[in-house]
Amino acid sequence: MKTMTSAFARCAAFGALAVLSVSVASVSVASAADISGAGATFPYPIYAKWADAYKKETGIGLNYQSIGSGGGIKQIKAKTVTFGASDMPLKPEELEQAGLIQFPMIMGGVVPVVNLKGIKPGEVKLSGTVLANIYMGEVTKWNDPQIKALNQNVNLPNTAIAPVYRSDGSGTNFLFTDYLSKTSPKFKTQIGANTSVQWPAGIGAKGNEGVANMVKQTDGSIGYVEYAYAKQNNITYLDLQNKDGKTVSPKIEAFQAAAANADWANSQGYYVILTDEPGAESWPITGASFILMYKNPQDTAASAEALKFFSWAYKNGGKMASELDYVPMPEKVVEMVQKTWSQQIQADGKPVWTASAK
């Protein structure tokens, strides 16, 4: 298998779910020293970039299966990987029951993307209510009066809307449906917020990669992906009306504005959801991506290696994250997270990670 960065480009282009391994012929023969993880596709582009740089610096690779948050939660609970990754944070009681801790690794934005001939990125805007109506199958044409009312100066085509949704268990799906549930009581009642929901209409696709690819090949389609996938695939994104009634475009400053509302210090288990946050500049579908690990890991050495990688990424990966329009975790949050590692991830009563391990 090629490097993770080239692997990402290939997966984004063809919509395949990614199994990442740096400089390894196949997953089955990955080096015993490689760090194993599985889960969210939302952070895959930055994990790929970090892993490539970390491999060159340390010789340690990352074998990460980008299979969706639902799959990541299942795999960490089955103890088949050293860490799981999810964009839907687990509630404190679920963490406690499973013997897990979670911590935020990166933040970013989920954006609606479309395939509409003649429409430029950001030229069309939607509200949460109208977006919910599209995914409930109630708004079926691009020149529907509900869309036209928000885009009076745009020549909208009389094209059928083809909603594309995540068919796998997905944290991106959770963030998207959580936002729609907050902006549309009807959506909350009929569909609700979860990693996997029953969509009444549309086309299913696996992973952010699959949704991006399906939108690219389907005329009149609309989907939702993490912003890096929209950029990598040059897909037209839509602007959104936020909680303050302001029209905002997806960009790092808008994700940062929403992320500024996070109260990590007072959130048990770092349980923070950043959708539909107030603020004139806030992007309404912002979220963090979380890492899940065992408090008392079976393989202490593997967990220590994983924590060294995450520590390195916090310290050295901010610029790489910003280049992909992710929001790095603030330094004070990193300090809190690393204190959590020292206090809660232990073997024989001793911390698996210490500050000297950076």
Side-chain angles (χ1 to χ4, degrees):
M1 185 176 288
K2 298 179 182 178
T3 65
M4 294 176 69
T5 305
S6 61
F8 167 62
R10 186 171 67 253
C11 291
F14 295 103
L17 285 180
V19 179
L20 314 179
S21 186
V22 180
S23 303
V24 177
S26 71
V27 174
S28 61
V29 295
S31 166
D34 284 353
I35 301 157
S36 67
T41 64
F42 176 103
Y44 172 79
I46 187 56
Y47 287 1
K49 201 168 186 179
W50 284 343
D52 191 43
Y54 191 71
K55 174 77 173 183
K56 290 173 183 174
E57 188 172 315
T58 67
I60 303 297
L62 174 64
N63 175 23
Y64 180 75
Q65 301 170 57
S66 177
I67 56 174
S69 296
I73 294 167
K74 286 179 182 176
Q75 287 216 21
I76 188 63
K77 286 186 174 181
K79 300 182 179 180
T80 57
V81 290
T82 302
F83 72 90
S86 175
D87 310 323
M88 181 186 76
L90 299 189
K91 292 180 178 178
E93 54 268 28
E94 187 174 357
L95 291 171
E96 187 64 31
Q97 186 178 17
L100 296 167
I101 70 159
Q102 74 184 354
F103 52 89
M105 196 66 218
I106 198 74
M107 295 178 285
V110 175
V111 303
V113 291
V114 298
N115 182 341
L116 280 176
K117 291 180 175 63
I119 298 297
K120 300 174 183 176
E123 188 176 359
V124 171
K125 69 177 178 182
L126 294 177
S127 65
T129 303
V130 174
L131 189 55
N133 289 342
I134 289 173
Y135 272 87
M136 286 191 291
E138 295 179 2
V139 172
T140 59
K141 295 275 190 177
W142 279 108
N143 62 352
D144 183 281
Q146 290 187 43
I147 301 177
K148 288 177 72 174
L150 294 167
N151 300 276
Q152 295 181 10
N153 297 320
V154 180
N155 185 22
L156 293 162
N158 183 32
T159 302
I161 301 175
V164 180
Y165 59 83
R166 286 288 291 273
S167 60
D168 52 329
S170 151
T172 302
N173 204 57
F174 168 75
L175 293 172
F176 187 68
T177 57
D178 186 74
Y179 166 64
L180 296 184
S181 293
K182 288 175 177 175
T183 56
S184 168
K186 190 174 182 181
F187 185 95
K188 182 178 181 179
T189 301
Q190 294 188 4
I191 298 175
N194 213 326
T195 55
S196 184
V197 298
Q198 291 296 316
W199 296 103
I203 308 165
K206 287 186 177 181
N208 273 278
E209 305 95 332
V211 171
N213 188 57
M214 186 64 72
V215 169
K216 283 189 75 171
Q217 67 185 31
T218 308
D219 187 39
S221 61
I222 182 171
Y224 49 94
V225 296
E226 198 284 322
Y227 185 51
Y229 290 86
K231 288 184 70 176
Q232 285 278 346
N233 287 277
N234 295 314
I235 311 177
T236 299
Y237 60 80
L238 303 184
D239 285 356
L240 286 175
Q241 224 174 48
N242 66 16
K243 191 169 187 174
D244 284 22
K246 304 294 184 181
T247 300
V248 286
S249 296
K251 54 185 178 181
I252 191 169
E253 293 82 3
F255 308 151
Q256 287 171 329
N261 291 291
D263 184 8
W264 297 107
N266 295 306
S267 301
Q268 186 181 355
Y270 299 104
Y271 186 84
V272 172
I273 297 170
L274 294 168
T275 56
D276 203 33
E277 289 291 329
E281 297 179 0
S282 293
W283 180 254
I285 323 180
T286 300
S289 196
F290 298 83
I291 299 297
L292 298 164
M293 295 184 70
Y294 278 97
K295 291 180 180 180
N296 301 112
Q298 288 182 327
D299 189 334
T300 304
S303 292
E305 284 297 339
L307 292 172
K308 285 179 186 177
F309 169 71
F310 297 135
S311 180
W312 177 92
Y314 280 142
K315 183 180 179 180
N316 303 292
K319 184 174 183 291
M320 287 180 269
S322 298
E323 287 170 353
L324 288 173
D325 292 281
Y326 289 95
V327 180
M329 300 309 300
E331 189 173 340
K332 286 184 178 179
V333 180
V334 172
E335 290 172 0
M336 281 191 285
V337 167
Q338 292 181 331
K339 187 176 180 181
T340 299
W341 295 349
S342 296
Q343 293 177 343
Q344 296 192 29
I345 304 179
Q346 300 194 347
D348 299 322
K350 296 179 181 179
V352 170
W353 182 91
T354 60
S356 61
K358 294 186 206 179

